[in-house]
Amino acid sequence: MAATGTNSNGASAYYVTTPIYYVNDRPHLGHAYTTVAGDVLTRWHRQRGEKVWYLTGTDEHGQKIMRTADANGVTPQQWCDKLVEEAWKPLWEHLEIANDDFIRTTQERHTHRVQEFVQDLYDKGEVYQGGYEGPYCVGCEEYKSPGDLLDGEDGAKLCPIHKRPVEMLKEENYFFKLSAYGPRLLEFYEANPGFIQPESARNEVLQFVRQGLQDLSISRSTFDWGIPIPWDPKHVIYVWVDALLNYATAVGYGADPAKFDATFPADVHLVGKDILRFHAVIWPAMLMAQGLPLPRKVVANGWLMVGGEKMSKSNLTGIAPQDLTSHFGVDAYRWYFLRAIQFGQDGSFSWEDFTARYTSELANDFGNLASRVAAMVGRYFDGKLPAAEAPGDAEQAVADGLARAVAEADRRIGDEVDFSGGIAAVFDFIKQVNGYLTEQEPWKVAKDGSAESRARLATILYTAAESLRAVAVLLNPVMPAAAAKLWDSLGAEASLGALADQRVGEAADWGRLPAGSTVTKGDILFPRLEEKKDA
Ligand code: MSP
């Protein structure tokens, strides 16, 4: 199966991309959703011991950016520079996104290669000159099919995504012969059933391509904020053709063949469902036209909704991620959206749901478990982790539960890009460990000072601490700061080395945390929210 890419032999990287974001505005929860997902996916694969390449960046050309810059009285380049440095890069740092590169489509490493790519298509006879007239949505930067439009007031036709009037555009453009690629694309989807995920997204694309594709206009001549068409510089290259190529130019297309071959194509393109066709139809056709390898998977995520509508800055419903991290913290933020929403489905954000899940799963189930175990090892064993002297069936059941959780989480997150399923497996295990403690009642066992009870107490606390050792490894990709705190509090750094070097597979190896490790009661992992507000 193509799911895990080519890197099992270590030769090439597991390459994951986010969409490159338009910098006409500041980031909101919807943008951060995909970028956090990609970060968790790539951190997971790094913890499998694989070579990984995680790319994000910004899409800086086109009319939307040009108009925003104009309205703000600056040049488009000045606008992009400001937003990238003041809003986008700082957010990714704040959210602990460990991207390996950040591409901006105004960089020379990109623009030159895009020109070469398009020139090459032209030289191969894949591009011709023609005219086009149709309704255009600047929000989408896309010509729309008249049949897809909604009716607005006064007979206006509206974009179904942005709910704003489309503009009639008539242009002499260059066209890419996209229509010729329909049959080859259908064959490819057929041969690679896992290429588009989820199933609903795959079906949408199949239906779209089966209807027959139209050629794609790949140039614009009514404005100039873009990359000039090399053979006819009165035209600029259509922003989507420019943008899609970032996935190639960022990894050395036409410039660094060794890097390109070791990285390209992407193992997973993560995209919002509104930009699925660009990634699952146009992008593969562009690559086919050049004889380049196709991506292994395009995974479409759903939308974060507010009041039944897609959250967006243009509709003034865009919530800044910092508004939530300042209340819940970065770890809980990274965890919440992936935990609460099945990846691929739409999901509504609500403070109530976030607060409830934070309290029950993070503060009560997970945070309490960690602090109770550390406190008991402190109280009964002076902070030195005792050996499990008398393990029995109950301990075996915990070890078995861990093995199941590791296998399930690894398959769900690592192979299937199913974050909620993978995280649920880990939290089910946390529940199991809580249940184990409730049944074993170590606080009662401690009251009886017999040697037998002492051995029993040691066994119970070792079992709980060892479970937490594995939980820290499994949650590290999702909540790196909390996992690191837990790792420290178990004294695992000293006995097992850096958390980042722990392999997912080894998480299930029962007994890795050595007896004698120094367990300390560190900071509370997930403070109660009301306390936090008062603080
Ligand atoms: N620049 C293009 C992408 C080019 S990729 C070669 C673009 N940019 S965007 O900034 O408008 O959107 C980027 C991503 O953010 C898209 O995947 C889009 O689906 C996602 N989201 C924007 N609002 C969203 C929500 N409310 N919820 C989830 N994701 C959403 O399109």
Side-chain angles (χ1 to χ4, degrees), residues 1 311 354 405 480:
M1 240 313 277
M311 176 182 294
F354 198 160

Side-chain angles (χ1 to χ4, degrees), residues 370-426:
S371 60
R372 274 196 305 164
V373 171
M376 286 190 283
V377 175
R379 190 172 323 131
Y380 305 133
F381 292 93
D382 287 332
K384 286 274 169 261
L385 184 66
E389 291 175 36
D393 289 351
E395 287 68 39
Q396 188 59 46
V398 175
D400 291 347
L402 172 63
R404 276 196 305 276
V406 172
E408 175 90 358
D410 194 28
R411 179 173 61 84
R412 297 274 196 147
I413 298 178
D415 297 340
E416 297 173 2
V417 197
D418 168 8
F419 300 102
S420 56
I423 295 172
V426 181

Side-chain angles (χ1 to χ4, degrees), residues 95-381:
L95 295 179
E96 303 209 43
I97 305 301
N99 52 303
D100 295 288
D101 196 0
F102 187 103
I103 183 142
R104 300 181 52 186
T105 55
T106 49
Q107 289 168 337
E108 258 182 39
R109 62 169 170 159
H110 177 74
T111 54
H112 286 184
R113 306 297 161 220
V114 170
Q115 285 189 314
E116 281 170 15
F117 186 99
V118 172
Q119 178 74 53
D120 222 32
L121 281 186
Y122 187 64
D123 295 343
K124 287 190 165 111
E126 294 283 342
V127 169
Y128 64 92
Q129 197 165 16
Y132 194 80
E133 181 170 13
Y136 191 83
C137 170
V138 176
C140 295
E141 293 281 14
E142 183 185 19
Y143 278 110
K144 295 283 168 187
S145 310
D148 288 344
L149 301 178
L150 305 176
D151 289 318
E153 284 171 18
D154 302 329
K157 293 289 180 187
L158 309 181
C159 163
I161 293 174
H162 290 89
K163 310 273 161 55
R164 286 197 286 175
V166 292
E167 301 170 23
M168 282 308 285
L169 281 193
K170 186 176 178 184
E171 283 194 276
E172 272 293 305
N173 291 333
Y174 290 97
F175 286 80
F176 167 51
K177 295 177 177 167
L178 180 64
S179 59
Y181 287 88
R184 275 179 69 187
L185 284 167
L186 288 170
E187 251 171 57
F188 176 74
Y189 305 143
E190 194 69 36
N192 298 276
F195 175 62
I196 303 166
Q197 210 177 295
E199 195 62 24
S200 53
R202 174 181 156 82
N203 291 338
E204 184 209 307
V205 169
L206 285 180
Q207 202 186 355
F208 175 71
V209 177
R210 280 187 190 132
Q211 281 170 3
L213 296 173
Q214 293 193 359
D215 289 345
L216 177 75
S217 153
I218 60 158
S219 74
R220 297 288 183 269
S221 54
T222 50
F223 63 93
D224 63 0
W225 180 237
I227 304 173
I229 289 268
W231 65 89
D232 187 353
K234 292 186 302 301
H235 293 247
V236 292
I237 295 169
Y238 174 39
V239 63
W240 266 102
V241 169
D242 162 355
L244 287 164
L245 280 165
N246 91 87
Y247 303 130
T249 60
V251 293
Y253 172 71
D256 183 346
K259 180 173 180 181
F260 187 70
D261 291 345
T263 320
F264 198 85
D267 290 79
V268 179
H269 287 305
L270 291 174
V271 303
K273 64 178 187 179
D274 48 325
I275 58 171
L276 175 64
R277 287 181 195 174
F278 291 104
H279 287 81
V281 180
I282 296 176
W283 175 229
M286 285 166 63
L287 294 171
M288 282 175 176
Q290 294 282 28
L292 288 167
L294 306 197
R296 298 200 170 75
K297 238 184 209 304
V298 177
V299 180
N301 62 251
W303 288 336
L304 299 188
M305 312 286 279
V306 178
E309 296 276 329
K310 175 181 177 230
M311 176 182 294
S312 81
K313 283 273 169 175
S314 52
N315 292 339
L316 302 178
T317 52
I319 300 172
Q322 291 89 337
D323 291 346
L324 299 191
T325 58
S326 60
H327 185 62
F328 296 100
V330 168
D331 279 321
Y333 177 91
R334 290 172 56 102
W335 167 86
Y336 172 71
F337 293 98
L338 297 177
R339 167 75 180 98
I341 303 166
Q342 166 82 47
F343 207 64
Q345 308 291 312
D346 291 344
S348 294
F349 163 73
S350 86
W351 281 87
E352 292 73 16
D353 186 58
F354 198 160
T355 304
R357 279 183 187 272
Y358 179 102
T359 303
S360 80
E361 295 186 44
L362 295 185
N364 292 348
D365 290 354
F366 178 32
N368 258 351
L369 174 65
S371 60
R372 274 196 305 164
V373 171
M376 286 190 283
V377 175
R379 190 172 323 131
Y380 305 133
F381 292 93

